[in-house]
DNA sequence: CTAAAGTAACTGACCGGTCATTTATTAGCA
DNA sequence: TGCTAATAAATGACCGGTCAGTTACTTTAG
């Protein structure tokens, strides 16, 4: 007999880590850090639990890899901001919707939710997330605003607070989507929110034009 | 001999529940729902683990009690809004800082963080929180805005989106305080944020006065 | 044939919830 | 007033289940 059985599994040293990280992202997003079972992550990656530990030292290392996977999405935004030529309103009108789109596509919001929820138990994760993403994004925005103030486009006021006011509704919308929409709350159209908020915020921040 | 020993414990049926809820609030805020140990809550309340189960059916019931404990803080705000006479700007200038103060004093932010973090595992909690607090607050704000629009004070636009833009920075600030400040991020002055944001948001939302 | 990729059974710790037992308090009675 | 029985508050040892991480073994592939 012995019809050449297809092997029960294959050795795929190269692609395993990425597959495991993708699976981990999904399971962490769904369950949070503590409640995510390594065995479920392994199963979703089509691998046994033991195999996960061939590539990652422990569960936290796995989560760090997930954060590293999601973080680069910010860079698209940073690039966009850096090469922008026009005035402040044009920048905001381009950036906010782009941010809404990027965040909507990636699982950024889901990971953010996990970080927020587990920050006290795993401060290390909160620090990584803060340094790699949140702080950078806020500094970027505050810098753009300060420059616009220097050019006389934007009113006086704490640039960090302005930056907060600019992005918080979007972040809030993301968290809303991850937290309340699944339990039956009315969903938000992130993109529409971003567009209306961009206009409102600009109206609030810009100096009145000389008539 | 028998020098009257002070008893090892006392029977205090009346005050136990409140004490246990207070302890639970602290421990949940610090650890999240899943990672909070009932035994730690009991210890902090000065009671054995078994005693907790004399007053609460299970861990979730305990969390529901915590939510019920924190929720009424919103009612002060609602009352303030209901009895307000003046115009929309006055209302916003009163409400936002008051919200910042109330939220700052109570452990509202801490509980919110827990709800966000565990919403997928305990959707029941998310639903309770949404119905008892978030939805009510948002509906309240949207209603006030819609009325101001009807009076011609506020520009056209989705009232819910405006409401989001109005409160999101504060909520974000709360979450920031609970999540990133403990790991060394620069803290925010919530009250100052509320004040500056109130002015900016008003400038953005109000119709231009006829000159 | 050998190295390393992968498996699966196993271990040890942890924790929510239970329950038989102990102890404070109250009521009843002389 | 002092003694005792009855009651219910509170304890803490324990059980059952879960799960991160380990390890002895099997399978693939050069």
């Amino acid at each position: 007999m012995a019809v050449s059985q297809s092997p029960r599994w294959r050795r795929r040293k190269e692609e395993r880590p990425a597959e495991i990280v993708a699976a981990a992202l999904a399971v962490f997003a769904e369950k949070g850090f503590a409640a995510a079972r390594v065995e479920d992550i392994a199963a979703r990656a089509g691998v046994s639990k033991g195999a996960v530990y061939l590539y990652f030292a422990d569960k936290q290392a796995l989560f760090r890899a997930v954060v590293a996977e999601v973080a680069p999405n910010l860079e698209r935004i940073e690039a966009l901001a850096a090469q922008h030529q026009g005035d402040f309103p044009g920048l905001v009108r381009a950036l906010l919707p782009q941010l809404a789109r990027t965040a909507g596509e990636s699982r950024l919001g889901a990971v953010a939710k996990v970080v927020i929820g587990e920050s006290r138990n795993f401060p290390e994760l909160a620090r990584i997330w803060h340094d790699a993403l949140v702080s950078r994004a806020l500094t970027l925005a505050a810098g753009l605003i300060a420059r616009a103030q220097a050019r006389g486009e934007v009113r006086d006021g704490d640039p960090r607070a302005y930056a907060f006011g600019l992005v918080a509704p979007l972040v809030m919308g993301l968290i809303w989507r991850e937290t309340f929409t699944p339990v039956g709350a009315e969903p938000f159209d992130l993109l529409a929110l971003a567009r209306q908020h961009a206009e409102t915020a600009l109206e609030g921040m810009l100096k009145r034009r000389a008539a």
Side-chain angles (χ1 to χ4, degrees), chain A residues 77-92:
Chain A
I77 304 283
E78 269 178 334
L80 208 75
Q83 72 188 44
H84 184 82
Q85 304 296 342
D87 54 0
F88 185 72
L91 189 58
V92 169

Side-chain angles (χ1 to χ4, degrees), chain A residues 74 112 115-116 126-141 160 164 167 171:
Chain A
L74 178 66
V115 171
I116 291 170
R127 197 172 296 118
I128 291 170
W129 187 255
H130 173 263
D131 296 350
L133 242 101
V134 181
S135 174
R136 260 172 67 191
L138 204 62
T139 303
L140 170 72
R160 269 169 70 88
F164 229 71
V167 300
V171 178

Side-chain angles (χ1 to χ4, degrees), chain A residues 92-116:
Chain A
V92 169
R93 289 198 183 93
L95 233 51
L96 278 195
Q98 174 61 30
L99 192 58
R101 237 174 276 122
T102 303
E105 287 162 14
S106 74
R107 301 296 290 140
L108 214 79
V111 179
K113 208 195 60 173
V114 176
V115 171
I116 291 170

Side-chain angles (χ1 to χ4, degrees), chain A residues 154-179:
Chain A
V154 169
R155 292 176 215 277
D156 289 344
D158 177 17
R160 269 169 70 88
Y162 276 136
F164 229 71
L166 213 48
V167 300
L170 286 194
V171 178
M172 220 37 235
L174 272 183
I175 291 176
W176 180 280
R177 205 183 53 174
E178 298 291 337
T179 306

